[in-house]
Amino acid sequence: MPPLDYDPIPIGAPATSFERPMVTHLQVADLDQDGLPDIVYAEASTHTVRWIRQAPHGKFTEVVLADSILGPVHVWVGDINADGFRDVAVASMGQIFPTNDRIGAVVVLENLNNRDFRRRTLLDQTARVTDVRGANLSGHSDGRLDLVVAQFGYAQGETRWMKNEGDWHFTDHIVNRLSGAVHAPVADFDGDRRLDFATLISQEWEEVHLFRNLGQNQYLETIVWGSTNEDYGSSGLEVADVNRDGRPDLIYTNGDGFDYPIPGGRPWHGIQWLENQGDGRFAFRRVGEMTGAYSPRAADLDSDGDMDLIAVSCFADWSSPRAVSMMAWINEGNERFHPVVLAHSPTHLVTADVGDLDGDGVPEIVTGGMYAFPPFPAPHNVTLWRRR
């Protein structure tokens, strides 16, 4: 296997622009549809949503899309109102640290012309929102998108979907009231040509729930996997066809360290995939260990046709120079993965995404630093990792 060596390149606003960067989430997406992938990200220390635009090829310039969105923790790019422009859906927690106050919100930045964005608050005074994604759950003929929403709350949380009735009106459908909902990825998991969604529910539950779309606004909820360890630390859930059998699987990290008096990792932290075996059934496959693992992503990193996995760490022992901040697991087939350390620095990474930003057919990695807990080495904001 050829070596996987990456050069870290800071892009966007320099880390010195912030007291301490708090990049809670980022997405690689061509927001202005000019053929060049950009990065959209949420920054919680300044309560802003930002766009690192690539134009022309290889040049990145950052602008603030919106400010005064309290505790933004997730962004999703897509054309919600089917007008031909890609909007940005934002999950607002209100504040990052624990509270049961109903201070969450769902905010959409409506793209008017690829330069101007109109803020629309679709839901507020609700349990803290951790994820929002668009999907045509209802089969709208005009292509407008409904929204799937995960709400962590604290003692009380919710999972809901919001039906798009047109003209920016949405109807709420709450499907679960457990606290700790973190992520809600969307796919046709059961192959019936209707979009379903899954929800990762942390706190004391540590479960993955599947909501199968039965049509007519009805969903069948099942628990597809759960840990008996109430301290498992669920931290990330995404969709990827890991074994390339045509069925969407789930990749899943456990590495949360927020709940401890002294934030940090645990020996059971790591990454796994839930293999989709059809008809709503999933098989748990442990991939590997990683202290403080967050933000699972899949890409063919070594160009061999197999889907590899990556994750980053927010809660490793940053007092050690050998602590791992980014790791890959190279797919060797037959459900075997070979771990490869990609980086020890920058540290405090909580979010990552992959995409071919330079058009050479090789995926780049983009990461964001969230410096919530000491020690605080030299901070980094958004970093582009280009393979040598």
Side-chain angles (χ1 to χ4, degrees):
M1 183 185 75
L4 283 177
D5 295 324
Y6 287 84
D7 291 319
I9 305 166
I11 58 173
T16 53
S17 302
F18 312 92
E19 180 178 355
R20 284 194 309 269
M22 291 276 287
V23 181
T24 49
H25 183 252
L26 56 78
Q27 181 183 354
V28 174
D30 184 3
L31 180 58
D32 56 0
Q33 302 182 82
D34 64 352
L36 298 173
D38 313 307
I39 297 101
V40 178
Y41 74 98
E43 207 289 322
S45 75
T46 55
H47 306 290
T48 53
V49 174
R50 294 162 177 258
W51 175 19
I52 304 177
R53 185 186 181 210
Q54 182 178 192
H57 183 276
K59 181 180 179 181
F60 295 92
T61 305
E62 179 168 315
V63 297
V64 175
L65 290 179
D67 57 14
S68 303
I69 297 180
L70 300 181
V73 294
H74 197 278
V75 290
W76 181 88
V77 175
D79 186 2
I80 294 171
N81 60 339
D83 66 349
F85 294 103
R86 291 180 178 172
D87 313 301
V88 181
V90 185
S92 166
M93 290 189 81
Q95 72 178 45
I96 303 297
F97 295 99
T99 178
N100 212 43
D101 294 342
R102 295 181 68 82
I103 55 175
V106 171
V107 178
V108 169
L109 307 179
E110 180 191 1
N111 187 343
L112 302 179
N113 52 21
N114 290 329
R115 296 183 308 276
D116 303 301
F117 291 78
R118 176 188 292 137
R119 183 185 314 213
R120 294 183 177 274
T121 300
L122 305 182
L123 179 70
D124 63 359
Q125 298 182 4
T126 190
R128 296 185 304 157
V129 180
T130 46
D131 195 359
V132 55
R133 310 185 192 210
N136 190 352
L137 301 173
S138 305
H140 301 296
S141 59
D142 62 357
R144 68 184 185 270
L145 302 181
D146 310 305
L147 299 174
V148 179
V149 182
Q151 298 179 238
F152 190 97
Y154 188 54
Q156 294 99 29
E158 293 164 340
T159 300
R160 74 178 71 211
W161 70 281
M162 300 172 64
K163 185 175 181 179
N164 190 340
E165 306 288 2
D167 196 27
W168 294 103
H169 296 294
F170 289 79
T171 303
D172 270 343
H173 300 268
I174 296 175
V175 294
N176 184 285
R177 294 185 182 274
L178 294 179
S179 61
V182 179
H183 292 138
V186 178
D188 179 8
F189 289 108
D190 55 8
D192 66 357
R193 299 186 180 181
R194 289 189 292 259
L195 288 175
D196 317 298
F197 57 94
T199 304
L200 177 59
I201 300 180
S202 59
Q203 293 288 73
E204 70 268 33
W205 318 106
E206 307 292 352
E207 296 170 344
V208 177
H209 291 230
L210 177 65
F211 297 89
R212 296 173 65 182
N213 188 343
L214 305 179
Q216 303 299 314
N217 300 335
Q218 300 299 310
Y219 286 82
L220 174 65
E221 179 181 6
T222 57
I223 299 173
V224 298
W225 188 81
S227 175
T228 57
N229 179 357
E230 294 184 359
D231 194 26
Y232 199 62
S234 296
S235 59
L237 187 71
E238 287 298 336
V239 174
D241 186 1
V242 178
N243 56 357
R244 296 204 162 171
D245 64 354
R247 290 192 290 256
D249 308 307
L250 291 164
I251 50 176
Y252 168 29
T253 50
N254 62 308
D256 179 47
F258 274 103
D259 289 341
Y260 310 131
I262 300 177
R266 291 294 183 267
W268 49 82
H269 284 175
I271 187 170
Q272 39 269 311
W273 64 292
L274 301 178
E275 181 188 357
N276 187 344
Q277 299 187 316
D279 197 31
R281 296 176 297 111
F282 289 77
F284 178 88
R285 313 288 188 201
R286 181 70 166 181
V287 175
E289 285 66 48
M290 183 185 190
T291 301
Y294 267 79
S295 198
R297 292 294 184 272
D300 183 7
L301 299 178
D302 57 357
S303 303
D304 68 349
D306 293 325
M307 195 65 77
D308 310 305
L309 305 179
I310 69 164
V312 294
S313 177
C314 192
F315 293 105
D317 180 6
W318 303 125
S319 65
S320 168
R322 303 310 300 166
V324 175
S325 60
M326 184 162 61
M327 178 85 81
W329 289 265
I330 303 304
N331 191 340
E332 298 178 340
N334 299 316
E335 300 174 9
R336 299 194 315 176
F337 292 81
H338 175 69
V340 177
V341 173
L342 297 183
H344 300 281
S345 176
T347 62
H348 295 72
L349 303 181
V350 77
T351 180
D353 204 3
V354 292
D356 183 8
L357 276 81
D358 57 12
D360 65 354
V362 177
E364 282 73 48
I365 304 169
V366 184
T367 60
M370 190 182 80
Y371 296 83
F373 298 102
F376 297 126
H380 289 70
N381 188 34
V382 176
T383 303
L384 169 65
W385 300 80
R386 184 167 287 140
R387 187 174 171 186
R388 294 173 193 163

